[in-house]
Each structure stands twice: as C-alpha cells, then as structure tokens.
Amino acid sequence: MSELDPAEVFRQEAADLIETLEQALLDLEKRPDDSELVGLAFRALHTLKGSGAMFGFTAVSEFIHEFETAFDRVRKGEATADRRLIAAALEARDHVAQLIDDPDCDPERGTAILSALKAAVCEGAGVETGASEHLAAPIVETGSAQPVAAGWHVCFRLPADALILGTNPLLLLDELRSLGPCDVTADTSALPPIDFIEPQSCYLSWDVTLKAGVSREAVDDVFLFVRDDMELSIEAIASESPVAAAIMAPVIAETTTVIEAAQPMAAASEASAPKPKAAAASSDRANAAKSERNATLRVPAERLDELMDRVGELVIAQARLSQLAEAIHDPSLVNVAEEIERLTASLRDTTMGTRMVPIGTLFGRFRRLVHDLSEELGKPISFVTEGEDTELDKTVIEQLADPLVHLIRNSIDHGMEPPEKRAETGKAATGTLRLAASHRGAEVAITVSDDGAGLNAERIRRRAEEAGLLSVGQVISEGELNRMIFQPGFSTASEVTALSGRGVGMDVVKKTIDGLRGSIDVDTTPGKGTTVTLRLPLTLAIIDGLLVRVGEDRYTIPLAAVEECLELPTGVAADGRGRSFLNLRGDLVPFLKLRDLFHTEGEVDPYQKVVVVSSDNTRVGLVVDQIIGNNQTVIKQLSRLHSGVKTFSGATILGDGTVALILDVMHLVAYGQKLEERRRAETLGRAA
C-alpha cells in the first residue's frame, strides 16, 4: 500500500480552507460588521499558516503571516472591511492558492499584494498609508530608539492536541534560548494522575525569563505559527531607568491582564488533578474533541466507485436469491431472502449517499466569478442561489462546473444591461442573476436566469443565416431558434473581448450536457430576461425501477418518473399515423405504444397497460403489455457503439440473469411532446 504524499494531503486540506476564506470574504463585503465572518476568515488564515509550516510550505506561511497580521486589525475592530480591503484580501487569497501550486512563483507580486492590503487596512482605519510599514504590535522605544525592555518574561501553555499536530515545545524553548540566556521552569500543576494520562496530550506549561534586550517582535516570531491556539503571555522586564519604567507601565499592565485571565484555567486544572473523576471527565472531553475532528474522512473517488460496483453486484445476487426463494417456497429460505433484501437496501442507500453531494458545493464557487465580473464590467449584480440542498452524483457535479461558468459569464456579459440603460427601461440599477436546482421526477433541473435584456431573435436569425445554419426564410420554432446560440462558433457579439465573441463557450455547454445525456431549454422575454434550463437524468448506479414487459422483452422505467399506472381503455387506438391521446381526468395526454416504437412482433395482449411518466411537468403514457412490478435496478452504461441510441439510458441485469434495457424517460417525453405540438399545429391548420 503506497503512502500518501504529505504535500498532496496539505493541498487537499488547503483547497477547503481557501474556499472557506473566499466565501467568508465575499459575505463580509455585504456584512462588514459581522464579527463571526471576520473570525471565520481569520481562523482559515491561521490554519493555513500553521499547516503550511508543518508541511514545509514556508513561502505560504510567511505570506499568510503578513496577510494575517494586516487582517488582525479588522478582527480587533481597528479597521473596516470595506470594498477596497475585500478586493485586496481576495487578491491575496488568489496569491496563496498560487503559492501552494508553485512555491517559487514571483515574490514581487506577493510583496505588491501585501502593500495594497496594508494600505487598504490603514485607509479603513483612518491611518496614513505610511504607517502601514509595521502592522504588528509596536515596540516601545526610548528617545535613542533603543528597546526599553532589558528582558522578557514569557509564559505559555500549548493546546492539549499540540503534540498530535506536530508542535514540539522543546523546539520553542530552544528558539527562546537562541535569543539569550533563559531561566525555564515547567509548570506541572495541570498534570492528572498517572492512570488518566494520555501519552499524546500536552499537560505542561512553561515559565521562561529571557535575560536579553531583544525586541518584542523577535520573541513574537518564536510563536509565529502556534500563537492563536495557545495561552501566551509576554511581559517586558523594564530597565532601572525611571523614564523607561513609566513608559513600560501600560505595556506591563496590558500583559498582566492576559496572565490573570489564564490563572483561573491553571487553578481549575490544578484543582482537578487529584480528583480521578474530574480527570476522567476531562479525558472524555478530549476524546469527544478528537471524535469531532475525525468526523470526516477523505476517500479516493475510485474506491467509492469500486464499492458501488460491489454493492450493485450484491443487489443482483440478492434479486436472484429472492427469485429462487419464491420458486422453492421454503419458508426459512424466504425469511433469509427478505432479511438480506432489507440489509442490501440499507447498504445501497448508505453507499449511494457517499457519492451524492449537495449542489451547493458547486454553486458557492460562482460567487467569486459573479463578484469579479460585476467589478470588471461595472454592472452591479445580486447573485441569488436556490436549491443548494439538491443532491447529485459528485462526478456529474464536477462536469457541470465549466458549463455553468460559461452560462453565468454569458448572462452577465450579454444579458445584463449597464446601470444607466436599466434606469432608462425602469429597472433597478442592480441586476439579479439566479442559479437554482431542483428534482423533477427522474431528472434534475438546473436553471440560470437573469433579468436582463433577453435574447435578440432577429440578430440570432441573421447570424444563423450568415453561418449557413439556417436558410433564408426557413420556418423554425422559437425554442429551436434560441438553441442556435449553442452551435459551434456561434456568437452575436459585435466584437471579440476577453469575455466573449468567439462563440466557444456555449458550444462547451452543449457538448457537456449531451455527454451527460441531458437537454437544454432556453426561455427568453425581450426586455425581461432569459432563463436557461439544464435537464439531467439521475445517473445513480442503483435506482428503483418499474419492470414492464413488451412482447417477450422486458424493460425498466425509473420509478421516480412514474406518476400512475392504468389499463388502456377499450376502443382507444392510434390514428392512421400512429398518434394517440388519452383523456386523463380532463387532460389530453399523448401516449406511445412501445410495441410500435420498438417494432415488437407477436400477438398483442388483450389488456394492455399504460404507465404515465412525467418530465418537467409534461406527461406521456407508455403502453406496455404487462407491469411485472418494482425492482432494484443496477444501471450498466451502454457501450460507445450505442451512444447514439437516445431511447435507452442504460441496461440492467435481472435476477434470472437476463438483460433489461432502461428507458430514457426524458427522451420519450420529449418525443411525445413533439407529437402533441404537431397535432395542435394540424388542428389549427384544419381550422384555418
């Protein structure tokens, strides 16, 4: 078994922390007085700094230290998180990500970013920019610019999990000794009885007297990467000069407060030491904290895929067992088969849950994109997300990132008008971009909508005719015309810019969605806005299906898409051209005879059944010979040779070892919808 690369482990952890930092900064721009957001951003920075130092990313830690020092003034309420500061902080966040990927990248860029950040902090604090040279705690000096302190009294206690996280207190003591002569005393008052000692926990604290006239900054640097996770007091030992003592009094008073705040904790620990029950409770709390830290576990995606494959095979074997138990009629075997079926269903749901991810994890990435495009184009935009809890397979979510980026960029660049133009049309200066997701039967619908100018049908037709996609005067539906924007190389932009004009982005959207066996709808209203809907079939490895028979063949319909089942009324038959409609409680629902669609031979069953399925609020009936019943369906993808077959989304192995094709409900509903549109057109034609 190969060992994990520590650098790669850090990069994975850092990606989550950087995402947290970015989201906190974007929220902070809207709520600059929210102290919780400031604390969240600061904790993300501090964890990145400490982890970077631990894994050898020195450049990352040093840059974040300066970043953290500047941002600390916001945390202390000395500066306001205004737009300029957030912009500088976001740029610093980008540089951190670049340093993680390439530690040797241009250091001058990092220096310039830190200068801009410090200037923004000073501006937010009402301080002249020149004062930003040193944002750390000031060193009190005499008139001759010499440090007043003749030495330093340092008290520190590391967190209980410091040793587990790789912090070595002996190295900290060695660094203090390197600054000058030290008297070191270990405080063992918090040490529990030996029966309750955990070898990896840190119970000691240290009292150090540094007998050297070094600067406060030099002492601070010793605790650079662990400071915020520990109890630390640094008290200056003033010289005998009366003037110096008067100057140092406020500093001593300030540090004394820190010591007093730490004393009750030490006293409590000391009081608990001789009490085994209290020590046991402390041990339990430590274990609970460890359990909370270990609540999540990173697992390679290929292992989850392998686990899903094994569960799929188990489902097939369980179906075979249930079929045998039913055929043999042995009560004991039936009981065992039912118990295994229950356990298999539970294991299936749990395993699928490990692959399902809320789409909100994807939506959050686009906040920065919208923020930057809004600033770049000078278009104020309110970004609204809905349905973040909608779950999708992680592999599908990863493939949706690029298409959604292109759709959002297109909406902001082409759809949204500048503020002055929106004012002329009576709209609010701030445009609204909405990103939403929802489950609709056996599919997931993702919509990107804006309240911009809408699509220009005349311009789209003109460009399509120029590109040879349409002949002059060719009659097509509004939906087909709108979908022209997804053709390769198609663009209505008058000039090529950094954002658009080459007709590449929307082509990427179509190719990706086609690859996921999905569809795209475009709905636009001139002057009101545009909505692009991506419809994707649920592609889980295991689904609940309705098994039906057509002739001698069996097919599976995803159960989530089934609305109801009924018997085909006597006397209802297709007309001469194969189009049939069923009056279902006042609604005219088209139905497709699968026998005709699949060219099935043999005698027709006298009592045929209709399975009514739906997709995006559109219903279609599927006429079958027999409804066999529900079953757990393990989806097996079709080969590339069958990629052009749209009627089926996959295949499954039944309990008796035979294969049943899985119907693509979305495609069948679209096919039935086209039949209905033709019927209406013919009806209107005859009426005219």
Side-chain angles (χ1 to χ4, degrees):
M1 181 176 178
S2 60
E3 296 183 359
L4 293 176
D5 180 11
E8 186 59 31
V9 171
F10 169 70
R11 289 189 176 96
Q12 292 176 2
E13 297 290 345
D16 295 337
L17 292 169
I18 289 175
E19 179 68 18
T20 299
L21 174 62
E22 180 177 276
Q23 299 303 320
L25 291 173
L26 292 172
D27 287 334
L28 196 59
E29 186 175 25
K30 298 178 181 178
R31 305 194 301 274
D33 298 328
D34 193 328
S35 59
E36 291 186 5
L37 289 175
V38 175
L40 180 63
F42 201 84
R43 286 192 297 273
L45 281 173
H46 179 73
T47 306
L48 273 171
K49 180 181 71 173
S51 299
M54 183 186 305
F55 286 98
F57 287 76
T58 308
V60 173
S61 295
E62 292 177 350
F63 179 84
I64 294 179
H65 174 63
E66 297 298 329
F67 186 177
E68 189 181 44
T69 301
F71 205 75
D72 187 41
R73 299 193 66 174
V74 179
R75 187 177 67 158
K76 293 178 180 178
E78 299 173 0
T80 304
D82 54 17
R83 292 177 64 88
R84 181 184 175 188
L85 189 148
I86 294 299
L90 286 172
E91 190 174 0
R93 172 262 177 218
D94 293 342
H95 189 65
V96 171
Q98 185 179 2
L99 280 173
I100 292 174
D101 292 336
D102 180 15
D104 298 325
C105 65
D106 185 11
E108 294 184 1
R109 180 173 181 269
T111 302
I113 291 174
L114 288 175
S115 298
L117 180 62
K118 292 176 181 179
V121 169
C122 288
E123 182 178 295
V127 180
E128 293 183 4
T129 305
S132 64
E133 292 298 326
H134 299 286
L135 291 176
I139 302 173
V140 179
E141 300 179 352
T142 63
S144 60
Q146 295 295 325
V148 174
W152 299 92
H153 183 210
V154 181
C155 298
F156 69 92
R157 179 189 297 276
L158 296 172
D161 59 356
L163 302 179
I164 299 175
L165 297 177
T167 302
N168 189 341
L170 298 181
L171 295 180
L172 298 176
L173 294 173
D174 287 343
E175 285 192 56
L176 288 173
R177 291 189 181 99
S178 68
L179 299 178
C182 292
D183 292 335
V184 180
T185 303
D187 182 1
T188 61
S189 60
L191 195 66
I194 191 168
D195 292 341
F196 300 98
I197 290 180
E198 294 183 14
Q200 293 181 319
S201 293
C202 183
Y203 299 101
L204 304 181
S205 62
W206 287 267
D207 189 300
V208 181
T209 301
L210 174 59
K211 302 174 182 179
V214 297
S215 67
R216 168 66 181 265
E217 185 178 4
V219 181
D220 282 337
D221 285 345
V222 173
F223 305 97
L224 179 64
F225 301 120
V226 294
R227 178 163 189 154
D228 285 356
D229 291 332
M230 65 186 298
E231 299 172 31
L232 175 64
S233 167
I234 303 176
E235 179 183 357
I237 300 176
S239 65
E240 297 179 358
S241 168
V243 176
I247 295 176
M248 287 300 295
V251 179
I252 296 174
E254 181 180 355
T255 54
T256 302
T257 303
V258 178
I259 296 174
E260 290 175 353
Q263 284 175 349
M265 299 179 64
S269 299
E270 184 176 0
S272 65
K275 299 177 182 179
K277 291 184 179 179
S282 176
S283 175
D284 291 341
R285 286 194 297 270
N287 290 334
K290 291 178 183 178
S291 299
E292 184 177 355
R293 287 196 304 272
N294 298 327
T296 58
L297 179 66
R298 290 185 180 273
V299 179
E302 56 270 17
R303 291 191 181 181
L304 292 180
D305 292 340
E306 184 178 354
L307 176 61
M308 182 61 74
D309 291 339
R310 297 293 181 270
V311 173
E313 297 300 325
L314 177 61
V315 169
I316 294 173
Q318 175 269 315
R320 177 61 175 161
L321 176 62
S322 297
Q323 190 172 3
L324 288 174
E326 185 177 351
I328 296 174
H329 298 294
D330 184 342
S332 299
L333 183 59
V334 170
N335 289 337
V336 172
E338 290 177 350
E339 180 67 14
I340 292 178
E341 182 178 1
R342 183 182 65 81
L343 294 174
T344 301
S346 177
L347 179 60
R348 176 202 65 176
D349 295 339
T350 302
T351 305
M352 287 198 308
T354 61
R355 283 182 44 168
M356 300 299 286
V357 178
I359 201 169
T361 59
L362 175 64
F363 284 4
R365 303 180 193 177
F366 304 124
R367 296 182 60 198
R368 177 69 183 280
L369 173 66
V370 174
H371 174 275
D372 291 349
L373 289 177
S374 175
E375 295 289 335
E376 182 178 348
L377 299 175
K379 299 178 180 179
I381 297 171
S382 173
F383 184 48
V384 180
T385 58
E386 297 175 354
E388 294 94 331
D389 295 334
T390 304
E391 291 187 336
L392 269 176
D393 194 311
K394 181 176 175 59
T395 57
V396 175
I397 285 182
E398 291 173 350
Q399 294 183 66
L400 284 175
D402 283 346
L404 289 177
V405 165
H406 290 299
L407 289 175
I408 290 172
R409 289 166 66 103
N410 193 71
S411 290
I412 296 175
D413 189 26
H414 292 297
M416 296 289 190
E417 313 97 324
E420 56 275 9
K421 191 170 182 179
R422 293 178 63 89
E424 294 175 0
T425 57
K427 295 182 180 180
T430 300
T432 300
L433 179 66
R434 193 178 305 274
L435 184 59
S438 62
H439 283 290
R440 299 181 184 177
E443 63 188 21
V444 173
I446 302 173
T447 59
V448 180
S449 58
D450 62 70
D451 62 349
L455 297 179
N456 189 321
E458 183 180 347
R459 184 183 299 176
I460 292 175
R461 171 173 284 278
R462 185 171 62 251
R463 288 297 176 91
E465 291 176 352
E466 292 174 356
L469 300 173
L470 288 177
S471 59
V472 178
Q474 180 179 345
V475 178
I476 61 173
S477 66
E478 180 182 351
E480 291 174 326
L481 181 62
N482 291 337
R483 282 191 286 271
M484 285 290 172
I485 63 176
F486 296 101
Q487 293 296 323
F490 189 91
S491 176
T492 59
S494 56
E495 60 181 7
V496 176
T497 66
L499 292 178
S500 61
R502 301 188 185 278
V504 177
M506 304 306 277
D507 179 31
V508 171
V509 175
K510 186 176 187 303
K511 285 184 177 179
T512 303
I513 301 304
D514 286 347
L516 294 172
R517 301 183 68 87
S519 63
I520 305 174
D521 288 337
V522 182
D523 184 22
T524 184
T525 302
K528 299 294 184 180
T530 302
T531 298
V532 178
T533 303
L534 309 179
R535 293 191 176 87
L536 302 168
L538 291 175
T539 56
L540 294 177
I542 306 172
I543 63 172
D544 288 322
L546 182 67
L547 189 63
V548 299
R549 180 179 60 82
V550 180
E552 299 298 325
D553 299 321
R554 287 177 289 181
Y555 302 92
T556 296
I557 304 173
L559 195 59
V562 177
E563 285 197 355
E564 59 181 302
C565 301
L566 63 151
E567 190 171 302
L568 183 66
T570 305
V572 175
D575 61 22
R577 280 165 284 189
R579 281 161 288 182
S580 305
F581 296 88
L582 184 68
N583 189 339
L584 192 61
R585 293 183 292 277
D587 292 334
L588 205 58
V589 177
F591 65 84
L592 306 173
K593 290 191 173 183
L594 296 186
R595 268 185 168 272
D596 297 338
L597 191 62
F598 300 152
H599 304 288
T600 302
E601 298 179 353
E603 294 184 3
V604 179
D605 282 29
Y607 301 103
Q608 291 186 298
K609 307 299 186 292
V610 180
V611 180
V612 180
V613 296
S614 65
S615 173
D616 192 31
N617 299 322
T618 301
R619 295 186 296 174
V620 167
L622 305 177
V623 179
V624 301
D625 290 333
Q626 181 188 4
I627 297 175
I628 299 175
N630 299 349
N631 70 333
Q632 291 185 22
T633 302
V634 180
I635 299 177
K636 301 291 185 180
Q637 297 298 324
L638 299 178
S639 68
R640 294 184 179 180
L641 295 176
H642 301 90
S643 59
V645 180
K646 302 298 184 182
T647 309
F648 307 109
S649 59
T652 186
I653 302 174
L654 301 178
D656 59 1
T658 59
V659 175
L661 294 173
I662 303 171
L663 299 181
D664 189 332
V665 173
M666 189 184 304
H667 174 77
L668 291 174
V669 170
Y671 182 74
Q673 191 174 15
K674 289 180 181 179
L675 293 181
E676 185 176 5
E677 291 176 355
R678 291 177 186 174
R679 180 191 67 84
R680 290 177 179 174
E682 290 177 359
T683 301
L684 293 175
R686 287 194 298 267

